[in-house]
Amino acid sequence: MVKETVETTSHLIRNIGTLVVVPPGPLTGRRMREFDLLRDAALLIRDGRIAWFGPAQEAPLDEGVATLSAEGGCVIPGLIDCHTHIPFAGERCAEFIRRLGGASYLEILQAGGGIHATCRAVRNATIDELVAENLPRLQRMLALGVTRVECKSGYGLTPEHEFKQLEAIRELDRQQPISLDATYLGAHALPVEFADRPDEFIDLIASEDLLASIARQGLARFCDVFCDRGAFNVVQARHILQRAAAAGLRPRLHADELAQIGASKLAGELCALSADHLEHVTDTGLATLKAAGTIAVLLPGTSFFLGVPHCDARRMIDAGLPVALATDYNPGSCMIESLPWIMNIACCQLRLLPTEVLVACTANAAAALDVHKRVGAIEIGFDADLVVLDTPSLDAWFYTPGRPRVRTVIKAGRVAYRRPEHLK
Ligand code: NIG
Ligand code: FE
């Protein structure tokens, strides 16, 4: 199914075992875990939006309403993956095996592999090839309940190839139901040909003209920088993100992933929309993020995949930060495309509750993409992006990691995915 205009018909989802009434984000502290779980519910969709929800016996009967039975399953807002590195080309399986043998992510990057390897593959690919390689990824994500995905450039590392990646994102957005939000990540790594000339590279990828052109063409809404040891420092990241903000691209930041160099503090100072990773965050960093209202985007799939310690999610929730979770799906540090799998890691290893994890992948992920006033919650007037699970409760979903439990995915009021009979 490609994107289609919304039909002006009504749909009633009835026989909902539990409607998980996630409020609009951003949510913090107790509000991440305490909200209504409505048993025996129904939900009415009109013109692609949520028009009513409540106890099943009170459901309004619209003229000509089509009904869809949730068969006693749980209904949740569509999942939002607010940090991925789609679209990428090629694979780095050999690196994965080298890391199992003891090589570190940074060693591989500094030896010309890592991001540089994917950069070579992306530079060699056409837009059509990037689209063809990444479309199936999004199709599989839809079947897992994902209705919105953030996508980044960052593997082109020249203006021409960065634009190509952004254009591929635009085309991917057109070709399938998931909504895509694009981020410009021109400062993802210093390309080998600029190894001794970082300032020249930054002038090139953060020139006023280039940033203005990205914003004017609507090719991206955000600008990200990999601010870490072995990538860009705080001074460079500040310069790039200030220029981007002046051009109308909201800042976000890869912060405190490999080492503590003050990146989360910078994210707060710049009032970035999100600070992502945060494995090495300090109390000062957390306080600055909180004061700025920046969303903490945690990526535990990356620490799982790299075999390094996780971030401390409970500390962040207790500190009052709005916490989101995402896959970080990329060919190097996290080749995990399943957001439900990341949610299970967050539950079993970060010890978050199912309600907290769901908020982190809906309302708060929407806030990380600045779309929280119309998606990510069960709220009248919000887009009807919904997932029907085959478990009667949210807890029961988290109790069975790895088992596909998505029955139906509704995007803007239309059925975008239905689980095939043979998987039932
Ligand atoms: O978020 N840290 C920087 N970027 C990605 C990894 C990208 C890659 O290795 O290709 C990350 O982990
Ligand atoms: Fe990332």
Side-chain angles (χ1 to χ4, degrees), residues 83 85 254 277 328:
H83 181 140
H85 291 264
H254 275 74
H277 279 292
D328 197 17

Side-chain angles (χ1 to χ4, degrees), residues 83 85 88 92 95 105 109 113-116 118-119 152 154-155 185 188 224-228 231 254 257-258 276-277 299 302 306 328-334:
H83 181 140
H85 291 264
F88 53 85
R92 285 155 42 198
E95 279 181 16
Y105 178 83
L109 176 69
I115 293 170
H116 302 298
T118 302
C119 176
K152 300 181 204 292
Y155 291 124
L185 176 58
H188 194 191
D224 192 349
V225 174
F226 184 16
C227 180
D228 216 313
H254 275 74
E257 176 186 3
L258 305 174
D276 304 36
H277 279 292
L299 308 162
T302 308
L306 294 177
D328 197 17
Y329 186 24
N330 75 78
S333 68
C334 187

Side-chain angles (χ1 to χ4, degrees), residues 382-406:
F382 270 43
D383 287 6
D385 292 357
L386 303 162
V387 178
V388 182
L389 303 173
D390 69 5
T391 60
S393 72
L394 188 64
D395 292 351
W397 184 30
F398 284 80
Y399 180 56
T400 54
R403 188 169 148 193
R405 314 245 38 183
V406 171

